[in-house]
Amino acid sequence: MRPTHEGASPRAAAPAFRRRAATAGAAAVLMAVGTLAASPAHAEPGPPDHSRAPEHAGKPAKPGKPGKDLPLSERVTAEAIREHLENLDTIAEYNGGNRATNTPGYDVAALYIEDQLERAGYEPYRHEYEYELWREQSPSVLAQTAPEEVVYESDTDYVTMSYSGAGDVTAPAVAVSPDSTASACSADDFADFPEGAIAITMRGSCPFADKVQNAADAGASAALVVNSADEAFLGTVSELSDIPAVGVSGAVGADLLAAEGLELRVKVDASVSNETSFSVLAETPGGREDNVVMVGGHLDSVAEGPGINDNGSGSAFVLETAIQLAKQADPENKVRFAFWGTEEEGLVGSTRYVEDLSAEQVDDLALYLNFDMIGSHNYARFVLDGRMELPGSVQAPSGSGAISKVFEDYFASQDQVSEPGVLSGRSDYQAFMEAGIPSGGLFSGADGVKTEEQVEWYGGTAGEQFDPYYHTAEDTLDKINWDSVADLSAAGAHGVEFFAESTLPVNGVLRYSAARTEFPQVGDAWRM
């Protein structure tokens, strides 16, 4: 998962909904007053409300007998997902310790995905794209030069944000709305900001890119973003910024905010290069081609480690779901599986894919389901907030709330608690939503902090992150929570099977069989 921001709006409002989405109407998404969420992984819900979907939305599949009647939720097992994760772990181990984009680890992982898909009967293909790859050329510097001299440690006290602009500046540092979670989210926050000063902003409810750009527009020479937790964090501004940008640990940030007459030195030596990479896709041979259900997760890891939870877990789930779906009869709707590249560099693979679709191809997509981290060590069951109940959730296309309900209903049928998770734009669903495509998915938590109440629901440790190993070298196989994988993979597989058969609650499209039953053709007067 890309650590860009918490609960920000997309760069632009979603375009006018596609033909089928428009016919579904706004009734598919119902807005309600939500509970606060400190981060995309920290959402404290009330009891799930399952009263809002139409009766035709259907019920969760009941467990069947072993064999062809077994539902997909029981065919996709944690044991099979573990085998895929063991293989991805081996690939990373023998290829530099990671599966980062444009590395041997990513290339071999893609070959593994393609081989598995071919064995299952698919014809996988690659979607290639160009992008700008950001890299630091020499170590960055963050130091206090007044009122005393303190040199801070990279990766412990601070981390350079990816796509930070280069520069070496020494200047007074000025806090920008330090008591607000919307710090630096508005140009108004920079009223009377001193020209050339270094802006100290707080992590919160808008993209890092917005904070840094607002700082640059106000004449800041560099920007710091202070974490909401004591630790440093890995963030990105997505596109090359005009000024140096650094993420600072909450502990160091508190010291900086308390200092009087603060002056800092910030140095970033970085550049971008033009690169090419690819995502891997495959689709069922059968099913309606004009009502495609897309299922995806990113295949790349960060360079720091093997990324077994982020996002080996989601990739392994998508792969095993594809394998098991291939053993069933052709679905009513075509299902297209995607293993996105370059997510950790700014959602590049999924964004380029959507950008390359024609208007007709976009219209053919019924919905998108995203699976990014489903095995977090200190997990929770988060359903992406398609109803936009939470304050930090972005604008979601009509039908996204119905996707949420399908997952919620499944968890309820298993007597399992689930919670809305902030639809923040931090993962590969963002490009689909911006194209007007209903989106949803599942998530087991990243950098949010688990509460005592959530411990009662899921176990684990209160006061610790949902994934303490998020974006570190310790995101390894032994840190995966297999209860989380079992719960979320079963619910995810149920959702895929549900929508493979009918997307009626999402976009108003009837199954062919249902259409023929309810609207018999009379000469040429009948139309879908």
Side-chain angles (χ1 to χ4, degrees), residues 113-114 117-118 121-126 279-285 292-295 318 322 334-339:
I113 297 294
E114 290 168 337
L117 291 170
E118 289 170 355
Y122 292 93
E123 296 181 0
Y125 59 97
R126 295 185 176 190
S279 301
V280 176
L281 295 98
E283 60 187 29
T284 57
V292 178
V293 174
M294 282 210 70
V295 182
V318 174
K334 184 177 289 294
V335 181
R336 184 174 302 152
F337 299 95
F339 303 83

Side-chain angles (χ1 to χ4, degrees), residues 5-11 385-397 422-426 429-430 433:
H5 61 277
E6 301 179 17
S9 297
R11 290 186 296 272
D385 180 28
R387 297 191 191 93
M388 301 166 285
E389 294 176 333
L390 302 177
S393 290
V394 300
Q395 183 70 28
V422 175
L423 195 69
S424 63
R426 283 178 59 169
Y429 54 81
Q430 179 171 322
M433 293 203 308

Side-chain angles (χ1 to χ4, degrees), residues 271-434:
S271 62
V272 295
S273 60
N274 294 321
E275 304 288 346
T276 61
S277 191
F278 62 92
S279 301
V280 176
L281 295 98
E283 60 187 29
T284 57
R288 290 184 60 167
E289 296 184 354
D290 62 346
N291 199 48
V292 178
V293 174
M294 282 210 70
V295 182
H298 71 91
L299 182 59
D300 63 317
S301 73
V302 294
E304 284 74 13
I308 299 304
N309 186 38
D310 184 18
N311 181 39
S313 63
S315 296
F317 163 76
V318 174
L319 176 60
E320 185 60 22
T321 301
I323 290 171
Q324 294 303 324
L325 191 64
K327 298 177 181 179
Q328 298 182 337
D330 285 344
E332 181 75 16
N333 301 309
K334 184 177 289 294
V335 181
R336 184 174 302 152
F337 299 95
F339 303 83
W340 304 117
T342 327
E343 191 266 5
E344 298 290 4
E345 302 292 340
L347 311 180
V348 177
S350 55
T351 300
R352 295 291 184 271
Y353 175 80
V354 174
E355 289 174 347
D356 287 347
L357 295 175
S358 67
E360 182 178 1
Q361 289 170 328
V362 169
D363 193 59
D364 287 341
L365 296 182
L367 57 92
Y368 174 68
L369 303 179
N370 194 68
F371 299 92
D372 190 349
M373 303 174 64
I374 66 166
S376 299
H377 187 77
N378 199 28
Y379 82 105
R381 303 182 198 100
F382 290 113
V383 177
L384 293 181
D385 180 28
R387 297 191 191 93
M388 301 166 285
E389 294 176 333
L390 302 177
S393 290
V394 300
Q395 183 70 28
S398 291
S400 301
I403 297 174
S404 299
K405 178 172 170 56
V406 168
F407 290 126
E408 291 166 351
D409 284 353
Y410 179 82
F411 283 125
S413 77
Q414 305 300 305
D415 295 323
Q416 294 174 336
V417 172
S418 66
E419 308 175 63
V422 175
L423 195 69
S424 63
R426 283 178 59 169
S427 195
D428 290 298
Y429 54 81
Q430 179 171 322
F432 290 89
M433 293 203 308
E434 289 181 341

Side-chain angles (χ1 to χ4, degrees), residues 521-527:
Q521 184 173 357
V522 180
D524 293 330
W526 179 87
R527 294 288 186 273

Side-chain angles (χ1 to χ4, degrees), residues 198-249:
I198 295 171
I200 301 178
T201 73
M202 309 303 294
R203 189 174 188 179
S205 59
C206 70
F208 299 143
D210 289 358
K211 296 175 185 290
V212 174
Q213 188 61 56
N214 286 336
D217 291 344
S221 57
L224 275 56
V225 180
V226 177
N227 198 10
S228 51
D230 286 345
E231 299 81 9
F233 65 98
L234 178 63
T236 180
V237 290
S238 301
E239 297 179 357
L240 191 64
S241 61
D242 296 330
I243 56 177
V246 174
V248 179
S249 73

